[in-house]
PDB file of all heavy atoms in Angstrom:
ATOM      1  N   VAL G 108      12.185  -8.632 -14.071  1.00 80.00           N
ATOM      2  CA  VAL G 108      11.655  -9.414 -12.951  1.00 80.00           C
ATOM      3  C   VAL G 108      10.623  -8.596 -12.174  1.00 80.00           C
ATOM      4  O   VAL G 108       9.544  -9.093 -11.831  1.00 80.00           O
ATOM      5  CB  VAL G 108      12.801  -9.877 -12.018  1.00 80.00           C
ATOM      6  CG1 VAL G 108      12.264 -10.523 -10.761  1.00 80.00           C
ATOM      7  CG2 VAL G 108      13.738 -10.802 -12.757  1.00 80.00           C
ATOM      8  N   LYS G 109      10.941  -7.338 -11.907  1.00 82.00           N
ATOM      9  CA  LYS G 109      10.030  -6.485 -11.153  1.00 82.00           C
ATOM     10  C   LYS G 109       8.732  -6.249 -11.922  1.00 82.00           C
ATOM     11  O   LYS G 109       7.647  -6.284 -11.344  1.00 82.00           O
ATOM     12  CB  LYS G 109      10.693  -5.145 -10.850  1.00 82.00           C
ATOM     13  CG  LYS G 109       9.835  -4.237 -10.000  1.00 82.00           C
ATOM     14  CD  LYS G 109      10.531  -2.945  -9.725  1.00 82.00           C
ATOM     15  CE  LYS G 109      11.503  -3.199  -8.610  1.00 82.00           C
ATOM     16  NZ  LYS G 109      11.973  -2.002  -7.946  1.00 82.00           N
ATOM     17  N   ILE G 110       8.830  -6.041 -13.211  1.00 84.00           N
ATOM     18  CA  ILE G 110       7.631  -5.819 -14.022  1.00 84.00           C
ATOM     19  C   ILE G 110       6.759  -7.066 -14.036  1.00 84.00           C
ATOM     20  O   ILE G 110       5.550  -6.995 -13.803  1.00 84.00           O
ATOM     21  CB  ILE G 110       8.007  -5.378 -15.455  1.00 84.00           C
ATOM     22  CG1 ILE G 110       8.610  -3.980 -15.418  1.00 84.00           C
ATOM     23  CG2 ILE G 110       6.801  -5.406 -16.368  1.00 84.00           C
ATOM     24  CD1 ILE G 110       9.212  -3.533 -16.728  1.00 84.00           C
ATOM     25  N   VAL G 111       7.358  -8.221 -14.275  1.00 88.00           N
ATOM     26  CA  VAL G 111       6.594  -9.472 -14.322  1.00 88.00           C
ATOM     27  C   VAL G 111       5.937  -9.737 -12.974  1.00 88.00           C
ATOM     28  O   VAL G 111       4.746 -10.079 -12.903  1.00 88.00           O
ATOM     29  CB  VAL G 111       7.497 -10.652 -14.752  1.00 88.00           C
ATOM     30  CG1 VAL G 111       6.796 -11.984 -14.549  1.00 88.00           C
ATOM     31  CG2 VAL G 111       7.927 -10.482 -16.197  1.00 88.00           C
ATOM     32  N   LYS G 112       6.690  -9.576 -11.899  1.00 89.00           N
ATOM     33  CA  LYS G 112       6.153  -9.807 -10.557  1.00 89.00           C
ATOM     34  C   LYS G 112       4.950  -8.906 -10.297  1.00 89.00           C
ATOM     35  O   LYS G 112       3.898  -9.362  -9.826  1.00 89.00           O
ATOM     36  CB  LYS G 112       7.226  -9.551  -9.507  1.00 89.00           C
ATOM     37  CG  LYS G 112       6.713  -9.619  -8.090  1.00 89.00           C
ATOM     38  CD  LYS G 112       7.777  -9.155  -7.117  1.00 89.00           C
ATOM     39  CE  LYS G 112       7.157  -8.887  -5.775  1.00 89.00           C
ATOM     40  NZ  LYS G 112       7.971  -8.063  -4.926  1.00 89.00           N
ATOM     41  N   ASN G 113       5.064  -7.636 -10.610  1.00 88.00           N
ATOM     42  CA  ASN G 113       3.987  -6.703 -10.337  1.00 88.00           C
ATOM     43  C   ASN G 113       2.804  -6.871 -11.280  1.00 88.00           C
ATOM     44  O   ASN G 113       1.665  -6.647 -10.878  1.00 88.00           O
ATOM     45  CB  ASN G 113       4.500  -5.263 -10.351  1.00 88.00           C
ATOM     46  CG  ASN G 113       5.211  -4.915  -9.063  1.00 88.00           C
ATOM     47  OD1 ASN G 113       4.581  -4.674  -8.050  1.00 88.00           O
ATOM     48  ND2 ASN G 113       6.546  -4.935  -9.099  1.00 88.00           N
ATOM     49  N   VAL G 114       3.054  -7.285 -12.506  1.00 89.00           N
ATOM     50  CA  VAL G 114       1.951  -7.556 -13.439  1.00 89.00           C
ATOM     51  C   VAL G 114       1.141  -8.762 -12.944  1.00 89.00           C
ATOM     52  O   VAL G 114      -0.091  -8.770 -13.036  1.00 89.00           O
ATOM     53  CB  VAL G 114       2.479  -7.780 -14.871  1.00 89.00           C
ATOM     54  CG1 VAL G 114       1.441  -8.426 -15.768  1.00 89.00           C
ATOM     55  CG2 VAL G 114       2.949  -6.463 -15.466  1.00 89.00           C
ATOM     56  N   ILE G 115       1.821  -9.746 -12.403  1.00 92.00           N
ATOM     57  CA  ILE G 115       1.128 -10.923 -11.870  1.00 92.00           C
ATOM     58  C   ILE G 115       0.387 -10.571 -10.575  1.00 92.00           C
ATOM     59  O   ILE G 115      -0.754 -10.971 -10.366  1.00 92.00           O
ATOM     60  CB  ILE G 115       2.122 -12.083 -11.636  1.00 92.00           C
ATOM     61  CG1 ILE G 115       2.626 -12.601 -12.989  1.00 92.00           C
ATOM     62  CG2 ILE G 115       1.485 -13.206 -10.822  1.00 92.00           C
ATOM     63  CD1 ILE G 115       3.788 -13.556 -12.880  1.00 92.00           C
ATOM     64  N   LYS G 116       1.031  -9.799  -9.707  1.00 91.00           N
ATOM     65  CA  LYS G 116       0.448  -9.466  -8.417  1.00 91.00           C
ATOM     66  C   LYS G 116      -0.691  -8.462  -8.499  1.00 91.00           C
ATOM     67  O   LYS G 116      -1.595  -8.490  -7.657  1.00 91.00           O
ATOM     68  CB  LYS G 116       1.523  -8.900  -7.486  1.00 91.00           C
ATOM     69  CG  LYS G 116       2.388  -9.941  -6.841  1.00 91.00           C
ATOM     70  CD  LYS G 116       3.430  -9.323  -5.944  1.00 91.00           C
ATOM     71  CE  LYS G 116       2.950  -8.366  -4.981  1.00 91.00           C
ATOM     72  NZ  LYS G 116       2.386  -8.576  -3.744  1.00 91.00           N
ATOM     73  N   LEU G 117      -0.678  -7.581  -9.464  1.00 93.00           N
ATOM     74  CA  LEU G 117      -1.674  -6.508  -9.517  1.00 93.00           C
ATOM     75  C   LEU G 117      -3.112  -7.020  -9.530  1.00 93.00           C
ATOM     76  O   LEU G 117      -3.906  -6.617  -8.672  1.00 93.00           O
ATOM     77  CB  LEU G 117      -1.409  -5.577 -10.708  1.00 93.00           C
ATOM     78  CG  LEU G 117      -2.359  -4.398 -10.799  1.00 93.00           C
ATOM     79  CD1 LEU G 117      -2.075  -3.396  -9.695  1.00 93.00           C
ATOM     80  CD2 LEU G 117      -2.227  -3.727 -12.149  1.00 93.00           C
ATOM     81  N   PRO G 118      -3.500  -7.917 -10.435  1.00 93.00           N
ATOM     82  CA  PRO G 118      -4.894  -8.376 -10.396  1.00 93.00           C
ATOM     83  C   PRO G 118      -5.217  -9.190  -9.149  1.00 93.00           C
ATOM     84  O   PRO G 118      -6.345  -9.135  -8.641  1.00 93.00           O
ATOM     85  CB  PRO G 118      -5.039  -9.215 -11.669  1.00 93.00           C
ATOM     86  CG  PRO G 118      -3.668  -9.529 -12.111  1.00 93.00           C
ATOM     87  CD  PRO G 118      -2.775  -8.465 -11.572  1.00 93.00           C
ATOM     88  N   ILE G 119      -4.242  -9.914  -8.621  1.00 92.00           N
ATOM     89  CA  ILE G 119      -4.466 -10.693  -7.401  1.00 92.00           C
ATOM     90  C   ILE G 119      -4.707  -9.750  -6.228  1.00 92.00           C
ATOM     91  O   ILE G 119      -5.674  -9.910  -5.464  1.00 92.00           O
ATOM     92  CB  ILE G 119      -3.275 -11.633  -7.124  1.00 92.00           C
ATOM     93  CG1 ILE G 119      -3.157 -12.666  -8.234  1.00 92.00           C
ATOM     94  CG2 ILE G 119      -3.396 -12.283  -5.750  1.00 92.00           C
ATOM     95  CD1 ILE G 119      -1.864 -13.447  -8.213  1.00 92.00           C
ATOM     96  N   ASP G 120      -3.826  -8.754  -6.082  1.00 89.00           N
ATOM     97  CA  ASP G 120      -3.984  -7.782  -4.994  1.00 89.00           C
ATOM     98  C   ASP G 120      -5.284  -7.009  -5.129  1.00 89.00           C
ATOM     99  O   ASP G 120      -5.979  -6.766  -4.142  1.00 89.00           O
ATOM    100  CB  ASP G 120      -2.802  -6.817  -4.958  1.00 89.00           C
ATOM    101  CG  ASP G 120      -1.536  -7.457  -4.412  1.00 89.00           C
ATOM    102  OD1 ASP G 120      -1.632  -8.538  -3.799  1.00 89.00           O
ATOM    103  OD2 ASP G 120      -0.462  -6.870  -4.598  1.00 89.00           O
ATOM    104  N   ALA G 121      -5.627  -6.594  -6.346  1.00 92.00           N
ATOM    105  CA  ALA G 121      -6.864  -5.827  -6.560  1.00 92.00           C
ATOM    106  C   ALA G 121      -8.088  -6.675  -6.219  1.00 92.00           C
ATOM    107  O   ALA G 121      -9.026  -6.194  -5.567  1.00 92.00           O
ATOM    108  CB  ALA G 121      -6.935  -5.328  -8.000  1.00 92.00           C
ATOM    109  N   ALA G 122      -8.086  -7.942  -6.621  1.00 93.00           N
ATOM    110  CA  ALA G 122      -9.215  -8.827  -6.316  1.00 93.00           C
ATOM    111  C   ALA G 122      -9.337  -9.059  -4.814  1.00 93.00           C
ATOM    112  O   ALA G 122     -10.440  -9.013  -4.250  1.00 93.00           O
ATOM    113  CB  ALA G 122      -9.065 -10.154  -7.055  1.00 93.00           C
ATOM    114  N   LEU G 123      -8.217  -9.307  -4.143  1.00 89.00           N
ATOM    115  CA  LEU G 123      -8.241  -9.503  -2.692  1.00 89.00           C
ATOM    116  C   LEU G 123      -8.678  -8.231  -1.975  1.00 89.00           C
ATOM    117  O   LEU G 123      -9.442  -8.283  -1.005  1.00 89.00           O
ATOM    118  CB  LEU G 123      -6.867  -9.934  -2.188  1.00 89.00           C
ATOM    119  CG  LEU G 123      -6.431 -11.345  -2.540  1.00 89.00           C
ATOM    120  CD1 LEU G 123      -4.976 -11.564  -2.145  1.00 89.00           C
ATOM    121  CD2 LEU G 123      -7.323 -12.357  -1.843  1.00 89.00           C
ATOM    122  N   LEU G 124      -8.207  -7.106  -2.455  1.00 87.00           N
ATOM    123  CA  LEU G 124      -8.570  -5.824  -1.865  1.00 87.00           C
ATOM    124  C   LEU G 124     -10.068  -5.578  -2.001  1.00 87.00           C
ATOM    125  O   LEU G 124     -10.752  -5.256  -1.027  1.00 87.00           O
ATOM    126  CB  LEU G 124      -7.771  -4.705  -2.520  1.00 87.00           C
ATOM    127  CG  LEU G 124      -8.014  -3.299  -2.015  1.00 87.00           C
ATOM    128  CD1 LEU G 124      -7.699  -3.194  -0.533  1.00 87.00           C
ATOM    129  CD2 LEU G 124      -7.162  -2.324  -2.810  1.00 87.00           C
ATOM    130  N   TYR G 125     -10.591  -5.745  -3.195  1.00 91.00           N
ATOM    131  CA  TYR G 125     -12.014  -5.531  -3.426  1.00 91.00           C
ATOM    132  C   TYR G 125     -12.855  -6.495  -2.589  1.00 91.00           C
ATOM    133  O   TYR G 125     -13.819  -6.091  -1.934  1.00 91.00           O
ATOM    134  CB  TYR G 125     -12.347  -5.691  -4.908  1.00 91.00           C
ATOM    135  CG  TYR G 125     -13.823  -5.664  -5.182  1.00 91.00           C
ATOM    136  CD1 TYR G 125     -14.556  -4.498  -5.022  1.00 91.00           C
ATOM    137  CD2 TYR G 125     -14.491  -6.815  -5.575  1.00 91.00           C
ATOM    138  CE1 TYR G 125     -15.918  -4.472  -5.248  1.00 91.00           C
ATOM    139  CE2 TYR G 125     -15.856  -6.799  -5.797  1.00 91.00           C
ATOM    140  CZ  TYR G 125     -16.565  -5.633  -5.640  1.00 91.00           C
ATOM    141  OH  TYR G 125     -17.916  -5.609  -5.865  1.00 91.00           O
ATOM    142  N   ALA G 126     -12.474  -7.756  -2.575  1.00 89.00           N
ATOM    143  CA  ALA G 126     -13.233  -8.757  -1.822  1.00 89.00           C
ATOM    144  C   ALA G 126     -13.233  -8.446  -0.326  1.00 89.00           C
ATOM    145  O   ALA G 126     -14.275  -8.540   0.337  1.00 89.00           O
ATOM    146  CB  ALA G 126     -12.671 -10.150  -2.079  1.00 89.00           C
ATOM    147  N   SER G 127     -12.086  -8.069   0.211  1.00 85.00           N
ATOM    148  CA  SER G 127     -12.031  -7.786   1.645  1.00 85.00           C
ATOM    149  C   SER G 127     -12.810  -6.530   2.000  1.00 85.00           C
ATOM    150  O   SER G 127     -13.460  -6.472   3.050  1.00 85.00           O
ATOM    151  CB  SER G 127     -10.579  -7.694   2.120  1.00 85.00           C
ATOM    152  OG  SER G 127      -9.932  -6.609   1.520  1.00 85.00           O
ATOM    153  N   LEU G 128     -12.780  -5.515   1.132  1.00 85.00           N
ATOM    154  CA  LEU G 128     -13.557  -4.303   1.398  1.00 85.00           C
ATOM    155  C   LEU G 128     -15.057  -4.579   1.317  1.00 85.00           C
ATOM    156  O   LEU G 128     -15.839  -4.043   2.099  1.00 85.00           O
ATOM    157  CB  LEU G 128     -13.153  -3.186   0.443  1.00 85.00           C
ATOM    158  CG  LEU G 128     -11.763  -2.595   0.661  1.00 85.00           C
ATOM    159  CD1 LEU G 128     -11.442  -1.572  -0.412  1.00 85.00           C
ATOM    160  CD2 LEU G 128     -11.639  -1.976   2.043  1.00 85.00           C
ATOM    161  N   ARG G 129     -15.458  -5.418   0.373  1.00 88.00           N
ATOM    162  CA  ARG G 129     -16.882  -5.783   0.268  1.00 88.00           C
ATOM    163  C   ARG G 129     -17.333  -6.567   1.499  1.00 88.00           C
ATOM    164  O   ARG G 129     -18.414  -6.331   2.033  1.00 88.00           O
ATOM    165  CB  ARG G 129     -17.140  -6.614  -0.992  1.00 88.00           C
ATOM    166  CG  ARG G 129     -17.116  -5.835  -2.268  1.00 88.00           C
ATOM    167  CD  ARG G 129     -18.333  -5.007  -2.455  1.00 88.00           C
ATOM    168  NE  ARG G 129     -19.478  -5.905  -2.627  1.00 88.00           N
ATOM    169  CZ  ARG G 129     -20.724  -5.537  -2.510  1.00 88.00           C
ATOM    170  NH1 ARG G 129     -21.022  -4.295  -2.235  1.00 88.00           N
ATOM    171  NH2 ARG G 129     -21.703  -6.401  -2.667  1.00 88.00           N
ATOM    172  N   LEU G 130     -16.509  -7.508   1.942  1.00 86.00           N
ATOM    173  CA  LEU G 130     -16.853  -8.279   3.147  1.00 86.00           C
ATOM    174  C   LEU G 130     -16.951  -7.381   4.368  1.00 86.00           C
ATOM    175  O   LEU G 130     -17.873  -7.524   5.179  1.00 86.00           O
ATOM    176  CB  LEU G 130     -15.818  -9.377   3.386  1.00 86.00           C
ATOM    177  CG  LEU G 130     -15.899 -10.587   2.475  1.00 86.00           C
ATOM    178  CD1 LEU G 130     -14.693 -11.491   2.695  1.00 86.00           C
ATOM    179  CD2 LEU G 130     -17.189 -11.353   2.715  1.00 86.00           C
ATOM    180  N   ALA G 131     -16.013  -6.449   4.495  1.00 81.00           N
ATOM    181  CA  ALA G 131     -16.043  -5.522   5.628  1.00 81.00           C
ATOM    182  C   ALA G 131     -17.276  -4.623   5.556  1.00 81.00           C
ATOM    183  O   ALA G 131     -17.899  -4.333   6.582  1.00 81.00           O
ATOM    184  CB  ALA G 131     -14.769  -4.683   5.649  1.00 81.00           C
TER     185      ALA G 131
END
Side-chain angles (χ1 to χ4, degrees):
V108 172
K109 183 180 280 197
I110 291 171
V111 169
K112 174 188 165 198
N113 281 283
V114 164
I115 291 169
K116 280 180 51 82
L117 183 71
I119 296 168
D120 286 345
L123 288 172
L124 181 60
Y125 172 69
S127 65
L128 290 176
R129 286 285 294 164
L130 285 172

